[in-house]
Amino acid sequence: MRLSILPLGLACLLVAPPSPARVHHRAAAHRTGDGGVARVHGTLANGPGGRRAWHAGGTVRGGEGDLGHASASGVAGPNGRIAGGHRTTVDGDGTIARQGGVVALGANGGTMRGGRNVQRNPDGSMQADYAVSDQGAAGGSFNQSGSRTRGADGERTASRQTEASGVRGSYEGSTTRAGGMLDHDSTIIGANGNTYEGQTRVTRGEGLSHSGTCTNAQGQTFECR
């Protein structure tokens, strides 16, 4: 089933006739080609000082039992803007998929973006992933992404990667989990050029092991503290 809920919802806003009211709302429903039903709605609100908020969404129920829902909303004003949305689909075989995302822009130039996807399958398995990034107005940044899975037999895996940097230095880390074992690797670089590299492993039934190396800006190793 192909969904076009969000464009329909936005269209409700765009075709709204001029009105002295500060809030505009439109809703509509119609039959789809496969005998299903689609319902959409949209709302736009304007406030003082250029402030604005909007929302659009809708639901489609297909003739074969498929279901889809999508929505998006946002606000804007003197302090910045933020907008986000999500979409959920349920297929006739029971597969459920959900996607979502958000974007924020600060008045000082900072930005944030994030997104997430999840799918659950009829056999009980699942896959999910996400990503988020942040850029500070002063130049610092943060990025993280990850994923996790669950097999039909219940076996789980997961991974995560992180990067951060700023005036005080930078950090890179990676974590993976699978088969009763968790591994974490990290690298930290200070503003003075000193570097720390560490590896940690946790094994089910055995415990934890760790090793780390510290190096100064000239490439000489020294005792980590």
Side-chain angles (χ1 to χ4, degrees):
M1 177 177 63
R2 298 179 64 86
L3 300 178
S4 56
I5 296 172
L6 186 54
L8 288 172
L10 294 175
C12 294
L13 301 180
L14 298 176
V15 301
S19 169
R22 292 183 178 274
V23 178
H24 308 275
H25 179 77
R26 291 292 184 272
H30 65 87
R31 290 284 182 180
T32 62
D34 61 356
V37 179
R39 294 182 174 86
V40 296
H41 64 271
T43 303
L44 173 65
N46 293 304
R51 293 173 174 84
R52 173 173 291 189
W54 60 271
H55 174 79
T59 301
V60 175
R61 185 179 296 277
E64 298 180 356
D66 295 344
L67 177 67
H69 174 76
S71 69
S73 58
V75 295
N79 294 325
R81 295 174 289 170
I82 184 170
H86 74 270
R87 182 180 68 175
T88 302
T89 59
V90 181
D91 292 340
D93 64 359
T95 301
I96 302 174
R98 181 180 175 90
Q99 300 86 36
V102 62
V103 178
L105 306 174
N108 59 1
T111 63
M112 187 278 289
R113 294 177 173 82
R116 185 169 183 261
N117 303 290
V118 180
Q119 178 171 314
R120 291 180 172 84
N121 305 307
D123 62 2
S125 61
M126 180 272 292
Q127 304 86 40
D129 62 80
Y130 75 94
V132 60
S133 64
D134 179 84
Q135 184 71 43
S141 65
F142 174 84
N143 297 279
Q144 187 175 86
S145 62
S147 64
R148 58 191 178 95
T149 66
R150 182 183 65 225
D153 58 358
E155 184 68 23
R156 299 172 184 266
T157 66
S159 66
R160 181 178 65 191
Q161 296 76 42
T162 304
E163 296 180 359
S165 63
V167 295
R168 296 184 177 181
S170 64
Y171 168 84
E172 292 185 8
S174 175
T175 303
T176 59
R177 183 185 66 186
M181 187 177 298
L182 184 146
D183 289 298
H184 176 73
D185 298 331
S186 61
T187 300
I188 302 173
I189 302 177
N192 60 1
N194 289 355
T195 300
Y196 166 80
E197 294 184 350
Q199 300 82 38
T200 301
R201 168 169 288 187
V202 181
T203 304
R204 184 185 303 161
E206 296 183 13
L208 180 147
S209 63
H210 173 76
S211 63
T213 302
C214 292
T215 309
N216 62 23
Q218 291 72 43
Q220 300 168 326
T221 59
F222 61 93
E223 183 179 357
C224 299
R225 295 182 180 179

